[in-house]
Structures are given as structure tokens and as C-alpha cells.
Amino acid sequence: THDAWAPAFDRSDVDAAVVRGVGQWPGVEAILLMREVQSPVCSPAIAARLRKPADIAELPLLHTDPIDGWERWMRTQGLPVRHARRGQTFDTLELALAAATRGQGVVMSDLILAEESLRDGVLVQPFAATIEEGIGYYLVYPPERATQPKIRLLREWMLETAQGTRT
């Protein structure tokens, strides 16, 4: 699965969580906040060297888990995938994005999570092609907590905030 964490509220004191996945976990309500849309991003200096998607094969690829993002994107572009897993792998997307801003390579990134760096111009999306695979970010909580004021307020605020990132 693509889940970073399977919610287990019965074994913790956490009231709610934001989880990446397909939105189907037993015993919780899952409210979609935003869909994951991935595309290559890199520094403007690296992007200046890219004329077509195949040019990416000449550059260092930066990865996060799951490591198959490059392979999926290359397939959508009709590119060979034999080198899709080469390059450095980072524990978090934030670390991979930081490396990309320093010109260390090209990272397959969720565009919403890279939004600020893209807006500030420290990263660019060199090609319009994206991949979407039904993965999203969900607010999850046990159904019996749905009417608690703190959960209602959190849900409303998160949905409003997430809506602002999509417009």
C-alpha cells in the first residue's frame, strides 16, 4: 500500500491524524483533503538544461519512498525505465526538495507539497506532465469522535485550508 501510517486510534492518545493513502482504513472516518499530483521539480538552473522529458535521464534523480514515482512518470512519457531507480533516496520529501533547490538533481514531487518553493521560484516544474494514482491526504478519526467540537472544528478548518491550496 501507499499508506505512510495505518491509523490505530485504539492504541494511542491521538484524536485525529492526516494520513497519505487511498482513503480506506477500517474503523475510521476518512475525509479527503487533497489528491496527490506528482511531477518532476528541480532548480531553475537544472531546468535550463532540460528541453524534453528524455533529458531527465542524464541528470541525478532524487527519490522518496515509495521509490517507484520516477518509473511511473517515465512510463507515461514513453521513456525507458531502466534508470528510473538510480540516484539518491531521502527519508522525507522535504529533504529531497531541499536537495533539488541546491541543484543536486530532479525530484518527483507532490505539487501541492512543493507549492511554496514553486511559487517562490526556487523550484520549477520543467514539464507539464503529471501522474495521479488515486492517492490523497486524508483527515482520519474514529467515527464516534465525529461530533466532538474539537474534531468538528479541526475538520472544518482543514477542509477550508485544503480548499485554498487547490484554487
Side-chain angles (χ1 to χ4, degrees):
T1 107
H2 290 350
D3 300 338
W5 176 74
F9 293 100
D10 58 335
R11 296 189 305 264
S12 76
D13 59 357
V14 174
D15 291 317
V18 175
V19 182
R20 178 182 179 266
V22 295
Q24 298 174 355
W25 298 277
V28 299
E29 282 193 32
I31 310 298
L32 177 64
L33 299 173
M34 57 191 141
R35 291 261 176 233
E36 182 177 79
V37 178
Q38 292 188 329
S39 188
V41 298
C42 59
S43 69
I46 293 277
R49 298 166 38 194
L50 298 170
R51 300 287 177 243
K52 58 190 180 304
D55 294 342
I56 284 179
E58 305 302 317
L59 297 170
L61 301 181
L62 307 176
H63 303 273
T64 58
D65 198 26
I67 196 170
D68 61 346
W70 275 113
E71 187 173 323
R72 294 189 322 264
W73 186 83
M74 287 176 174
R75 285 188 197 288
T76 68
Q77 299 304 296
L79 300 173
V81 297
R82 66 182 171 277
H83 300 296
R85 293 181 183 248
R86 68 173 170 71
Q88 188 171 1
T89 301
F90 295 85
D91 289 335
T92 67
L93 179 59
E94 292 78 14
L95 291 173
L97 290 170
T101 63
R102 291 188 302 276
Q104 295 178 6
V106 186
V107 63
M108 184 60 56
S109 176
D110 181 322
L111 295 176
I112 290 175
L113 298 180
E115 182 178 40
E116 185 177 338
S117 295
L118 292 166
R119 185 179 53 244
D120 293 347
V122 296
L123 291 175
V124 295
Q125 180 186 354
F127 305 107
T130 61
I131 54 173
E132 294 182 56
E133 298 201 300
I135 303 297
Y137 296 89
Y138 292 81
L139 173 65
V140 296
Y141 48 83
E144 60 273 9
R145 296 185 188 161
T147 58
Q148 292 179 353
K150 63 183 175 183
I151 298 295
R152 280 197 337 263
L153 286 170
L154 178 65
R155 180 180 56 237
E156 291 168 11
W157 176 77
M158 292 197 84
L159 284 169
E160 183 179 307
T161 302
Q163 181 63 34
T165 64
R166 291 180 252 172
T167 57

